[in-house]
Amino acid sequence: MNYYSTNKQAPEATLEEAVVKGLAADKGLFMPRTIKPLPQEFYDRIETLSFQEIAYRVADAFFGEDVPAETLKQIVYDTLSFDVPLVPVDPSIYSLELFHGPTLAFKDVGGRFMARLLGYFIKKEGKKQVNVLVATSGDTGSAVANGFLGVEGIHVYVLYPKGKVSEIQEKQFTTLGRNITALEVDGTFDDCQALVKAAFMDKELNVHMQLTSANSINVARFLPQAFYYFYAYAQLKRAGKADNMVVCVPSGNFGNITAGLFGKRMGLPIRRFIAANNRNDIFYQYLKTGVYSPRSSVATIANAMDVGDPSNFARVLDLYGGSHDAIAAEISGTTYTNEQIAETMRETWQSCHYLLDPHGACGYRALKEGLKAGEVGVFLETAHPAKFRDTVEEIIGETVEIPAKLKAFMQGEKQSLSMSKDFADFKRYLLTV
Ligand SMILES: *Cc1c(COP(=O)(O)O)cnc(C)c1O
């Protein structure tokens, strides 16, 4: 299947080109030419299928024309080596726990899938090494680094701001070694992002080495996120509660929710979506006013959602033909302050004994406030609360148990290279590797 650019000024690309390039030549985002609905027979018996079986059917609709069936099945089954359980928090609200993967956040799904798909293309083409550059403020770096660990033909460079990433997060991408290099930049997250962007623009560097990105702009990271919306529906159907399903997604760059919107286009019976924002409420304001005005992000306790210009907004707009009315008919929005997020975490812990992380708390609260009679809500619990231990412990006033997987990372030895925020230094370094 071909992929077109949301800016419509670049030629269509094959899946392979879209995955290797990340962004279209006109700086638009790639969109699949068609979104194939899945047959009624699939939805009729979805509750009898496993997560991997469901995901393979969805993957086949997107990638089946470009990847041999056995290979695609292997990629899907390897990616989903962990469960995504749907857990009731109260009678009408369920948490879709996306934190049971290796780095305890939903980005594991896309990170693992993209690594395997890119690895397949490199092997098939006998391509020379591909280098993935990724700037991170925390979760993305760990999911991408762990997803790509040991994949032949790929080297990953993780750029992160020195002293601005929690120790738990830092250990998840600095202790791996092998084909993963951590670069500790003396600057902010924005400086890291600027270095990555400058590298993609630099002609000499691109002649020297094949560079690509692994953020949610990449179709191979973004589309697989649709898998678990289907699995959430299957689990709700098993419980006999799937007739009026509402899905709420704590959103930053809007990759996660956009994958869910694709699912709905494929016939998944989701009644409507809610995009939960923290104070970075650009999308919420767009819904209210019809005007999209990006602005600088502000820091919040749900920091993975601190985005001032959500990159996947272009995909949402394209999916609905640019119509604000059409978007607002299927998606509503909410916005919460740090105090509201903390209050929700505290109250849900006290009354339901369910521990939310700051991102999931936005999702839960939006459903609590916004569900109508007869609706059942599912929110995406995007990360394990222990990843934000200091914040969570301060809010609930109790210690948080650290899962064994996280503890194992803590025992590793940090290995990183110091880097200034000066592009000339970064370039000099890359030219020598
Ligand atoms: C990345 C992230 C988000 C935001 O997801 P988007 O796809 O960027 O909207 C929300 N919560 C957590 C924990 C994340 O890591």
Side-chain angles (χ1 to χ4, degrees):
M1 191 190 304
N2 274 358
Y3 289 78
Y4 66 90
S5 162
T6 51
N7 284 347
K8 316 249 162 55
Q9 304 294 315
E12 290 198 355
T14 62
L15 173 63
E16 182 177 339
E17 286 164 349
V19 173
V20 172
K21 288 185 184 145
L23 205 62
D26 61 2
K27 306 265 183 290
L29 276 66
F30 286 116
M31 292 283 276
R33 176 44 65 206
T34 48
I35 300 174
K36 296 183 197 161
L38 291 170
Q40 191 53 45
E41 133 308 291
F42 169 71
Y43 292 110
D44 287 345
R45 57 183 199 96
I46 192 169
E47 72 278 15
T48 67
L49 304 176
S50 70
F51 184 23
Q52 292 165 325
E53 287 167 336
I54 291 169
Y56 174 64
R57 289 294 296 270
V58 178
D60 180 52
F62 288 124
F63 310 118
E65 292 172 22
D66 305 292
V67 184
E70 269 316 302
T71 307
L72 185 58
K73 195 167 214 173
Q74 183 86 49
I75 291 174
V76 169
Y77 279 52
D78 281 356
T79 297
L80 305 176
S81 57
F82 50 90
D83 195 19
V84 175
L86 189 69
V87 175
V89 177
D90 60 41
S92 59
I93 301 181
Y94 289 74
S95 169
L96 185 67
E97 294 186 346
L98 292 164
F99 56 69
H100 296 279
T103 72
L104 295 94
F106 80 90
K107 292 184 176 78
D108 279 328
V109 173
R112 290 169 67 79
F113 188 93
M114 182 185 163
R116 284 160 180 77
L117 188 65
L118 188 57
Y120 160 72
F121 283 133
I122 289 170
K123 215 169 181 177
K124 181 179 131 231
E125 303 287 325
K127 264 197 205 324
K128 61 173 191 174
Q129 176 169 292
V130 172
N131 301 280
V132 172
L133 302 184
V134 60
T136 188
S137 54
D139 286 345
T140 301
S142 49
V144 168
N146 283 274
F148 282 80
L149 182 64
V151 177
E152 239 171 90
I154 304 177
H155 199 101
V156 177
Y157 297 90
V158 180
L159 288 83
Y160 71 102
K162 180 183 166 130
K164 296 189 177 61
V165 169
S166 77
E167 194 192 351
I168 291 180
Q169 288 180 318
E170 186 179 31
K171 288 267 181 162
Q172 288 184 307
F173 52 79
T174 57
T175 57
L176 300 168
R178 296 169 73 186
N179 61 329
I180 312 297
T181 302
L183 300 172
E184 189 171 7
V185 176
D186 195 1
T188 62
F189 169 67
D190 292 331
D191 293 324
C192 296
Q193 193 133 27
L195 286 177
V196 169
K197 280 195 182 147
F200 288 133
M201 307 289 249
D202 190 276
K203 284 217 171 63
E204 191 186 351
L205 213 46
N206 283 274
V207 170
H208 175 72
M209 62 207 297
Q210 170 87 52
L211 297 174
T212 191
S213 79
N215 56 25
S216 63
I217 280 170
N218 199 299
V219 288
R221 231 200 83 187
F222 143 74
L223 287 173
Q225 296 172 163
F227 299 162
Y228 41 73
Y229 289 87
F230 288 81
Y231 186 48
Y233 174 75
Q235 293 180 77
L236 209 54
K237 201 173 168 206
R238 253 175 240 162
K241 291 188 144 186
D243 290 343
N244 281 308
M245 177 179 178
V246 175
V247 176
C248 179
V249 187
S251 295
N253 255 325
F254 279 69
N256 209 4
I257 195 170
T258 307
L261 300 173
F262 273 61
K264 186 166 162 66
R265 275 301 159 90
M266 295 165 85
L268 184 63
I270 295 174
R271 195 183 165 104
R272 61 190 181 92
F273 287 85
I274 305 174
N277 280 156
N278 58 26
R279 279 179 54 221
N280 297 281
D281 61 356
I282 290 79
F283 186 76
Y284 174 81
Q285 297 299 338
Y286 164 77
L287 288 175
K288 264 193 11 192
T289 63
V291 181
Y292 179 73
S293 11
R295 52 177 203 263
S296 303
S297 63
V298 292
T300 76
I301 58 171
N303 63 353
M305 291 155 55
D306 295 349
V307 179
D309 186 4
S311 44
N312 286 285
F313 181 72
R315 283 193 170 117
V316 177
L317 215 50
D318 191 86
L319 198 60
Y320 292 90
S323 162
H324 174 262
D325 286 350
I327 292 172
E330 284 193 354
I331 317 168
S332 61
T334 60
T335 170
Y336 297 120
T337 62
N338 278 349
E339 291 68 34
Q340 289 173 310
I341 295 170
E343 176 189 77
T344 305
M345 289 167 66
R346 205 160 31 236
E347 283 179 3
T348 312
W349 176 242
Q350 281 163 5
S351 61
C352 310
H353 221 72
Y354 190 85
L355 188 57
L356 294 159
D357 95 290
H359 308 81
C362 298
Y364 176 75
R365 182 167 182 136
L367 290 172
K368 199 85 191 151
E369 292 177 350
L371 276 187
K372 299 181 186 128
E375 289 180 334
V376 173
V378 170
F379 67 97
L380 272 49
E381 186 32 297
T382 47
H384 193 288
K387 287 194 94 167
F388 313 94
R389 180 168 66 170
D390 295 348
T391 306
V392 176
E393 287 184 344
E394 197 182 309
I395 289 169
I396 65 166
E398 290 177 38
T399 53
V400 173
E401 174 104 35
I402 302 293
K405 261 182 261 183
L406 267 188
K407 273 194 197 137
F409 281 116
M410 299 302 285
Q411 275 148 19
E413 178 98 15
K414 170 180 160 182
Q415 313 164 40
S416 69
L417 267 166
S418 297
M419 187 70 50
S420 79
K421 60 179 181 185
D422 190 358
F423 179 64
D425 286 341
F426 181 45
K427 179 173 171 180
R428 200 174 309 124
Y429 165 72
L430 286 178
L431 286 173
T432 60
V433 295

